[in-house]
Amino acid sequence: MRLPNEKLVKLSQKIRDTLDSSKITLKDMQSLLGLLNFACKVVAPGRTFCRRLINSTIGVRKSYYKIRVNKQMKADLEVWLDFLKQYNGVTVITDNGLSGGTISSYISGVSYHHKIQGIQDTTKFFIIGKALEGIKRIQGGKRNDIRAPITVQLLSDMISCLDKVCKNKYEAALFSAVFSVAFFGLLRVGEITTSKSKSVINGSNLTISDILVRRKVLELRVRWSKTDQKGKSVTLLIAENGKNYCPVRLINEYLKVRPTCNNTDLFIHYTGMPLTRYQFSSILEKALHFLRISKGHFRSHSFRIGGSHGTSQAGGLRGGNYEIRQMEIACLFSLY
């Protein structure tokens, strides 16, 4: 959406008239605020720059009473003029569905590179901070997580159809193992895949040395995670359950056919290339499509959400998804 040209001209002129004045009447201020409020529908961050103008009307009762236009209010109006010229109907970040916190993290990364290069950090500019405040206010704080959990039954159905979805038996064994381990190990996709298809060790993925099968129990060492940036590591114990989605059996079957190569990542293709995040999500989507289930809100993280929910019901973890990895845990899924 964009402001109609006549509205744009009228609002711009109204702002300039106010900038040229030291005082305006309450009626004129309310008229200006009405136009700005309308413009906020297409200039999302602009609402932040209305606050001081709104505050100036507090306690003023008569429409002909004068309101002083101070330097701070004029600074906000200057920002509005800039918005109307460059950002009328344009949203660069919020259209991508990013939260205010994620945007702040990206801006912190930009700030870091400014400092490394020894140049002025433009991310600290007043307008950037106010724009972030506006985005967070519009989003209304923390957003609900709409990702759906993968249930045990759905996991079973997907593993059963992988031989028809994957291009060969090796790929079916690979994805059967990785889906099961992701679910029962409560793993994030970043802990079992790489972001790019490169035959290198990134230091954070599961490796062949991180896994051990003993007495029908899968011992899995997670050396690094989102909540363990220092690499203290945690060991997970996952019991055999006798089902078609049993992680112990599926890992054993996968290891029997896994090629011997220089790449020590646990999950690799027959060519020796590591499993990527994109490939993980792609096979998940294909399996859901084969089962005639809409992808909907299913994502790669749905394995962790579903596994966490199941573990809480089984009594394996207290607090569900929030206390995962705080200590060495034994995931004995007797419920399944």
Side-chain angles (χ1 to χ4, degrees), residues 137-297:
R137 185 175 292 111
I138 290 169
Q139 292 179 346
K142 187 176 181 180
R143 298 184 297 177
N144 293 328
D145 189 347
I146 61 172
R147 293 172 295 189
I150 286 177
T151 63
V152 176
Q153 184 59 54
L154 180 55
L155 176 67
S156 175
D157 293 342
M158 286 196 298
I159 288 177
S160 296
C161 76
L162 284 177
D163 59 334
K164 302 177 181 65
V165 171
C166 298
K167 59 185 179 182
N168 55 51
K169 291 184 178 180
Y170 177 82
E171 292 290 304
L174 166 63
F175 283 99
S176 294
V178 75
F179 280 3
S180 181
V181 169
F183 182 90
F184 289 103
L186 313 177
L187 300 175
R188 297 180 177 89
V189 67
E191 296 162 3
I192 50 180
T193 66
T194 60
S195 58
K196 295 182 179 180
S197 183
K198 294 182 179 179
S199 184
V200 296
I201 301 173
N202 64 10
S204 60
N205 288 0
L206 289 176
T207 67
I208 194 70
S209 62
D210 292 326
I211 194 167
L212 180 65
V213 180
R214 57 172 70 184
R215 294 184 180 179
K216 298 183 179 182
V217 173
L218 176 63
E219 187 173 311
L220 194 66
R221 182 181 60 159
V222 181
R223 292 175 290 108
W224 175 93
S225 71
K226 182 179 179 180
T227 55
D228 181 19
Q229 297 290 319
K230 294 184 179 180
K232 295 180 180 179
S233 80
V234 65
T235 299
L236 312 178
L237 302 177
I238 308 174
E240 188 178 55
N241 57 36
K243 308 293 184 179
N244 74 317
Y245 46 75
C246 174
V248 180
R249 179 180 62 82
L250 292 174
I251 277 290
N252 273 327
E253 291 179 358
Y254 164 68
L255 292 177
K256 288 178 183 178
V257 295
R258 182 186 182 277
T260 302
C261 61
N262 293 330
N263 192 340
T264 59
D265 283 347
L266 175 59
F267 297 113
I268 60 174
H269 297 285
Y270 198 74
T271 58
M273 300 300 287
L275 176 65
T276 67
R277 181 188 296 262
Y278 170 79
Q279 292 160 350
F280 183 98
S281 298
S282 178
I283 295 298
L284 168 60
E285 186 173 350
K286 288 180 180 179
L288 291 171
H289 179 74
F290 181 86
L291 296 171
R292 298 184 179 180
I293 298 174
S294 172
K295 180 182 178 182
H297 298 307

Side-chain angles (χ1 to χ4, degrees), residues 24 40 42 65 114 169 181 204 256-257 313 335:
I24 62 173
C40 283
V42 291
Y65 280 4
H114 277 72
K169 291 184 178 180
V181 169
S204 60
K256 288 178 183 178
V257 295
Q313 288 185 331
L335 180 67

